[in-house]
Amino acid sequence: MSQYYTATDHFVLVPAIMLALFGCAILLFDFWVFPEPKQRKWLLAFLALGEGFAGYGLWQQYTYVIGQGIEELTAFQGSLVVDGFSLFFNAVFIAASLIVALMSYRYLEIEREHHGEYYGLILLAQCGMYFLAAGVDLITLFIGLELMALCFYIMVGFLRSDKRSNEAAVKYLLLGAFSSGFLVYGFSLLYGLSGSTKLRDIAAAVAGRDAADPVLLLAIVTTSVGLLFKVSAVPFHMWAPDAYEGAPTTVTAFLSVGSKAASFAFLLRIFLGPLAPARAAWEPLLVVVALASLTVGNLAAITQQNLKRLLAYSSISHAGYMLLGLVAGNETGVKGIAIYLLVYTFMNLGVFLVLVAIRREGLPSENVDDLAGLMRKSPGYALLMMICLLSLAGIPPTAGFIGKYYIFLSLVEGGRYVLAAVAALYVAVAIYYYFRIVRSMFISEVEESSPLETTFGVRVAAALTAIGTLGIGIFPEPVLRLASRSFIR
């Protein structure tokens, strides 16, 4: 290969190439080979094949890094890196994408919007996520962010005949573009301070400046606005409830876990990289945002009857917990965020999967009352929902307890006892609104109690989420070892 594209560059880029190629192939096959709706189930096989090749590429990267005993492998003149952080997060993206794809087929058939580009968009969005986890250059990170965001703008409005979906897509697009403007402005200031787009060069330049430097403070504030919007933290959360409610349920599921995990990977790269020397300037900001997210997210969720809006506010509160891990400023905090995002993927997808399973043509499935009597209709899905809700609340022995434990532990290790106590108090609030759903499923009466009809894909996805939610909680050691390598050095 030429000096402009080396073997190392190719090795690092293979997973992204596989995702992009199979994403484009699905678009072409849908148009030429599988034009009939009944044939589109084969597109799931193409998606799974693409994920398989991407996963194999990640596995090769993992074995190489472990075998060589190195901490990272850089490519494209320092624009991309393979390290424990990127490998961990890309594994999370693969798990989320596969589960969402499995639960999507039946839902799209019911909504009469089963189009092949849906699966292509999942892969292309994941390709953007790859660059958010592996990018160490401002341009690379921004390209990855916009690729992911453009795919989600389309997917949120995928139900073309649904006014709610159209409205949600427009709001998400406009606010997303607005936040991207702030982010680009912040990046331009960082470039001006350092004369480079490489994160390490920017970190060296920031370290040589006073934390109270007005230009540096402006760069931190504008960059933070763009990043905090992407993770739906208060006060930049206004898009989340509408986007969650209006989007197709499977897209809401993918948005809530895939986009959030990728955005947090992006946020960690920035705050633990170029902005790390200016911690004294941004740490108070993140403390306020984290506490506001916990407060608004939990209190607003109490009054919600629509489950998707409730889960949107729940997602905002979970963002607050993860920001506290960053505020802790130690390795345990970053490890806690990594574990939290992994377990959040399984438990949140499990909740959305139940909403997909109970969806029937012409019948609602989005309000708390729609789950009334689910234990009589389908004990399996009722138990899955209960397990996932217990995990979201942080009750042992579920995986959610492990995630919250490491966040609290990082705060205690850092001497931030007040923050740990406040965060723990909000767990009680979360238990209240999660158990409203449990009460409806197990106690509320319902006249019609016929069993639910689900597909093989939905059942497989249900098994994966249940295993992930309980398995990690009962036997967390393998995940803890992987998460320990995710610390950005």
Side-chain angles (χ1 to χ4, degrees):
M1 294 187 181
S2 72
Q3 59 178 329
Y4 302 106
Y5 186 66
T6 65
T8 301
D9 295 339
H10 180 74
F11 181 66
V12 170
L13 202 58
V14 162
I17 293 174
M18 292 296 102
L19 293 169
L21 284 178
F22 277 91
C24 293
I26 285 176
L27 298 179
L28 295 175
F29 272 77
D30 178 53
F31 182 71
W32 281 325
V33 183
F34 303 126
E36 298 298 326
K38 292 183 179 179
Q39 297 175 319
R40 287 183 180 137
K41 62 183 179 181
W42 295 105
L43 296 176
L44 270 172
F46 278 87
L47 182 142
L49 196 61
E51 295 288 0
F53 278 107
Y56 180 67
L58 288 175
W59 174 252
Q60 284 186 315
Q61 292 176 353
Y62 175 76
T63 54
Y64 179 83
V65 170
I66 295 297
Q68 296 293 320
I70 58 178
E71 290 187 354
E72 63 179 32
L73 178 66
T74 59
F76 292 99
Q77 300 178 354
S79 295
L80 287 175
V81 64
V82 171
D83 55 7
F85 182 88
S86 67
L87 291 170
F88 183 91
F89 276 90
N90 277 297
V92 174
F93 303 153
I94 288 179
S97 300
L98 280 173
I99 294 173
V100 168
L102 286 171
M103 59 194 272
S104 294
Y105 182 84
R106 176 181 179 273
Y107 179 84
L108 295 175
E109 286 289 311
I110 292 174
E111 297 292 344
R112 302 181 186 277
E113 291 287 358
H114 197 186
H115 307 289
E117 58 263 30
Y118 177 88
Y119 303 107
L121 288 169
I122 289 178
L123 289 177
L124 293 174
Q126 190 184 342
C127 182
M129 295 175 193
Y130 178 85
F131 290 106
L132 289 179
V136 286
D137 181 278
L138 295 182
I139 297 174
T140 304
L141 287 166
F142 187 74
I143 290 173
L145 176 67
E146 290 306 297
L147 175 57
M148 179 189 74
L150 286 172
C151 293
F152 276 116
Y153 295 152
I154 299 169
M155 294 175 74
V156 168
F158 205 76
L159 301 181
R160 293 172 291 181
S161 59
D162 189 332
K163 291 183 179 180
R164 287 193 313 167
S165 182
N166 297 334
E167 180 185 351
V170 171
K171 289 181 179 178
Y172 186 32
L173 170 62
L174 293 176
L175 292 173
F178 188 65
S179 72
S180 294
F182 273 97
L183 189 63
V184 170
Y185 185 65
F187 281 2
S188 68
L189 291 173
L190 292 175
Y191 174 75
L193 290 172
S194 62
S196 173
T197 57
K198 301 291 188 294
L199 299 191
R200 288 183 177 175
D201 294 339
I202 298 172
V206 170
R209 285 182 171 264
D210 183 20
D213 185 305
V215 178
L216 178 58
L217 288 176
L218 182 59
I220 290 172
V221 170
T222 51
T223 302
S224 298
V225 169
L227 292 172
L228 293 172
F229 173 91
K230 302 303 179 184
V231 300
S232 63
V234 175
F236 314 106
H237 67 290
M238 65 290 292
W239 63 272
D242 289 335
Y244 276 47
E245 182 182 11
T249 303
T250 52
V251 173
T252 304
F254 195 33
L255 182 65
S256 70
V257 295
S259 177
K260 185 173 288 290
S263 298
F264 259 103
F266 186 15
L267 184 145
L268 290 173
R269 282 285 186 200
I270 297 298
F271 279 101
L272 297 179
L275 297 184
R279 169 175 281 272
W282 55 257
E283 188 176 284
L285 172 66
L286 287 194
V287 170
V288 173
V289 170
L291 292 177
S293 299
L294 286 171
T295 303
V296 173
N298 282 297
L299 297 184
I302 292 175
T303 62
Q304 301 301 314
Q305 290 299 317
N306 183 283
L307 284 166
K308 289 163 76 173
R309 292 187 73 87
L310 186 152
L311 291 170
Y313 285 110
S314 165
S315 175
I316 293 167
S317 71
H318 288 292
Y321 282 113
M322 287 182 272
L323 287 174
L324 288 178
L326 181 57
V327 167
N330 50 33
E331 187 169 346
T332 305
V334 179
K335 178 180 176 181
I337 295 172
I339 296 169
Y340 206 113
L341 285 167
L342 175 61
V343 302
Y344 183 73
T345 296
F346 287 109
M347 59 194 183
N348 215 47
L349 286 181
V351 173
F352 279 106
L353 188 142
V354 175
L355 298 185
V356 170
I358 67 174
R359 179 74 171 94
R360 298 185 185 182
E361 191 168 354
L363 294 177
S365 62
E366 294 185 2
N367 292 330
V368 174
D369 293 339
D370 296 329
L371 292 174
L374 183 62
M375 186 62 186
R376 292 176 59 191
K377 296 180 187 178
S378 180
Y381 285 112
L383 290 173
L384 172 63
M385 176 70 98
M386 184 182 70
I387 290 169
C388 292
L389 291 173
L390 290 173
S391 187
L392 285 168
I395 306 299
T398 61
F401 171 76
I402 303 297
K404 283 191 170 61
Y405 169 78
Y406 276 93
I407 295 296
F408 295 153
L409 179 63
S410 68
L411 292 171
V412 172
E413 286 181 350
R416 302 176 184 275
Y417 305 112
V418 175
L419 286 179
V422 172
L425 288 175
Y426 277 116
V427 172
V429 180
I431 290 174
Y432 171 76
Y433 59 78
Y434 287 136
F435 269 77
R436 283 177 52 218
I437 305 174
V438 175
R439 178 184 179 279
S440 180
M441 292 189 301
F442 285 82
I443 298 176
S444 298
E445 296 293 332
V446 62
E447 294 180 3
E448 191 270 322
S449 60
S450 58
L452 302 179
E453 297 179 5
T454 57
T455 62
F456 175 75
V458 173
R459 291 193 292 271
V460 171
L464 291 175
T465 55
I467 291 171
T469 304
L470 279 179
I472 296 174
I474 296 172
F475 187 58
E477 287 304 319
V479 171
L480 295 179
R481 285 197 296 270
L482 291 174
S484 296
R485 296 181 56 86
S486 67
F487 187 73
I488 299 177
R489 292 170 173 81

